[in-house]
Amino acid sequence: MTELGEPVGSDRAERLRKALAPPVALLASAMGLTCLLSMLAMVRSLAQLTVVDGQFVGWIGVGAAASVGVAAAGLRAGDRLGSGPPLALGAMAGVFGLTLGHAVNGSEQLAAAIVTCGVAAGGLLGGVAGMSADLPGGQARAVTLAWAVPLAAGWPVLVRGAITTGAGVIDVVVRVPIWGSGAAASVVVMWSVLAMLVEPVTERVQGWSSWEGSWAVVLLTCVVVLVAFTVLGFHTELSQVWLRPVIVAATAFAVAGWGLTLVVLPGSSAKLALTGVTAVMFVVPSTVTFAIADARANPHPLSWVVVGLISLAAVGGGVVVTVGKRDGSTLVPGSLALCCVAALGVGVIPGDSAAIGLAVAVLLLGTGAVLVAALGSVAADLEATRFVGLAAVCALVLGAVVAVPLSWALLGEIPVRNPQLWAAGRLYAGLTVAGTSMTAAYTWVLRGRIRSAGSAGSDARSRVGARPEPWYQHTPKRG
């Protein structure tokens, strides 16, 4: 019912906002993924990029920092401003970033494209991660699925699109028609304006002090790693003797930062969700990129049909979890174990395109299930939802930044063509096996702790600021 002093059409606008939230979330998440710099496109144009700007690696660090900063600011202010402002900022920046990122022919254009795309990716992916905070059960589950599907299913499509770029053309993002990015941005901005006009005020979280350490550790980890890569990128005169150990040490520091975050993070459910999303977002995108690119270099490359079928596997994993409403404390370790087995297949299969495609499909199926189950398991706790969303963005950005430098530091060559791509794919498959196996075991231990405490819901209600209802039944309060 319309409240006193409220416009007559506010209820209708609110229903429209909730109904359009899932498709807008899917569109915004896909656009945010497209705004991420294309690792494969950049290494294929490495010689030309060095001529345009020899310090472009430093700008990649700046763009990554902008992405993390915008995502953190949008999620932290979500209880006061909602998800509309970061989505609108990301959509508008995305149009400019995707346009500037094609056919780069100058250092100014290159720097502007990298930074603008970083802002766009952070605003869009962070904004979508916080959209479910004020939605009822059905829309909340659908928004969670819409956020996770592009992050799991989009990588084969991005790799296939990057490979089709014409020779001699410098692209830092996958080529998207201007009418496509403009139309997507228009839809997201219009929904954002509607959300800012009618979105209800969510409950203010009173237990922020218990989360200060977690936010501080994650952001400090990102700052240290990205500053290190930015400094290395802007100081190209440093000897390679020092570059390799610094790159390895920075990557190890990032992993240690996630471990320290688990120590200070309150609640077993939040720890389980954080472990799941960071494990897959840090290594799986690079594993899939190298594996698909290597398969594309074989005599019988993967076609668009096969790439589409691989992506559908990831969609299927997320849909099964969403429809089944299963306990996330069981699904997360099980899905991580599935990712471990699939990554082992990617690492040992000898260069057969069909077999590699099947292994990658299983890997993405598990990734989609992990993302949906992890975010869904903490959806009853607004603070945990926002923090896990931030952690996913940070892990994705850090993983993308360190992928090529780490491959070069450990293998001695930049993965540009088939022999190097094959080696990098096996390296990252091994890292994925190690990471997902350890995190599957750890989350299984957390599952026991959660169940011994009663349930994931009682664990969330024991912390200040959690909602009393299960995650699929909670309803926001109007301010």
Side-chain angles (χ1 to χ4, degrees):
M1 177 179 292
T2 304
E3 297 180 6
L4 183 63
E6 227 181 330
V8 176
S10 61
D11 282 348
R12 185 178 303 170
E14 175 66 6
R15 288 195 298 270
L16 179 63
R17 181 187 72 88
K18 292 179 179 179
L20 293 178
V24 170
L26 179 63
L27 191 63
S29 184
M31 186 176 181
L33 183 69
T34 307
C35 290
L36 292 174
L37 299 183
S38 175
M39 172 177 62
L40 193 59
M42 296 189 73
V43 296
R44 293 176 74 239
S45 304
L46 185 61
Q48 298 96 312
L49 284 171
T50 305
V51 173
V52 172
D53 188 347
Q55 299 177 331
F56 74 94
V57 177
W59 286 111
I60 293 177
V62 174
S67 182
V68 171
V70 171
L75 287 167
R76 184 62 259 151
D79 58 345
R80 295 181 294 274
L81 302 178
S83 55
L87 285 174
L89 173 63
M92 290 185 290
V95 175
F96 292 101
L98 291 173
T99 303
L100 292 171
H102 299 315
V104 176
N105 56 16
S107 58
E108 296 82 3
Q109 181 183 352
L110 179 60
I114 292 174
V115 176
T116 307
C117 284
V119 172
L124 290 167
L125 296 178
V128 175
M131 280 180 66
S132 63
D134 65 326
L135 294 172
Q139 283 91 355
R141 291 196 305 273
V143 166
T144 300
L145 177 63
W147 170 80
V149 161
L151 295 180
W155 305 107
V157 178
L158 293 182
V159 173
R160 186 64 168 80
I163 293 176
T164 58
T165 302
V169 179
I170 304 178
D171 287 346
V172 297
V173 291
V174 175
R175 186 176 294 275
V176 178
I178 183 62
W179 59 265
S181 60
S186 299
V187 173
V188 174
V189 169
M190 286 189 292
W191 185 91
S192 301
V193 172
L194 178 64
M196 286 186 278
L197 292 176
V198 302
E199 189 170 15
V201 178
T202 58
E203 293 177 344
R204 293 295 301 274
V205 177
Q206 302 300 323
W208 163 243
S209 59
S210 64
W211 291 88
E212 286 180 348
S214 305
W215 281 75
V217 171
V218 167
L219 294 178
L220 179 62
T221 300
C222 293
V223 167
V224 172
V225 174
L226 295 178
V227 166
F229 276 91
T230 302
V231 171
L232 293 177
F234 282 130
H235 291 78
T236 55
E237 70 277 3
L238 294 177
S239 172
Q240 294 185 4
V241 175
W242 295 103
L243 279 178
R244 284 189 170 91
V246 170
I247 291 171
V248 175
T251 307
F253 181 84
V255 176
W258 296 119
L260 181 59
T261 305
L262 291 173
V263 175
V264 300
L265 190 65
S268 297
S269 295
K271 291 180 180 180
L272 183 140
L274 174 72
T275 303
V277 298
T278 53
V280 296
M281 285 290 93
F282 192 68
V283 291
V284 169
S286 299
T287 303
V288 174
T289 298
F290 290 134
I292 296 294
D294 177 32
R296 283 286 303 162
N298 287 321
H300 303 287
L302 298 178
S303 64
W304 274 111
V305 175
V306 176
V307 169
L309 292 175
I310 294 174
S311 298
L312 282 178
V315 177
V319 170
V320 169
V321 173
T322 302
V323 174
K325 299 184 194 178
R326 299 294 182 180
D327 182 14
S329 63
T330 301
L331 286 172
V332 171
S335 300
L336 286 171
L338 180 63
C339 291
C340 176
V341 174
L344 182 62
V346 172
V348 301
I349 291 174
D352 180 77
S353 298
I356 290 178
L358 179 61
V360 170
V362 177
L363 176 60
L364 292 181
L365 186 149
T367 300
V370 168
L371 293 176
V372 176
L375 195 63
S377 66
V378 295
D381 189 334
L382 298 184
E383 192 60 47
T385 300
R386 295 188 177 108
F387 179 76
V388 172
L390 172 66
V393 175
C394 292
L396 178 61
V397 170
L398 290 182
V401 169
V402 305
V404 174
L406 183 63
S407 300
W408 170 79
L410 296 179
L411 301 175
E413 292 182 294
I414 297 177
V416 179
R417 293 180 178 83
N418 193 21
Q420 296 86 7
L421 289 172
W422 182 89
R426 270 51 184 180
L427 169 66
Y428 258 87
L431 295 177
T432 304
V433 170
T436 53
S437 60
M438 290 188 293
T439 52
Y442 177 67
T443 51
W444 187 258
V445 173
L446 291 176
R447 171 186 176 273
R449 296 177 184 176
I450 293 171
R451 293 205 165 190
S452 65
S455 66
S458 63
D459 178 72
R461 290 195 296 273
S462 66
R463 300 190 299 276
V464 178
R467 292 184 183 275
E469 300 91 357
W471 76 276
Y472 52 85
Q473 293 178 354
H474 78 273
T475 304
K477 293 184 178 181
R478 295 185 65 88

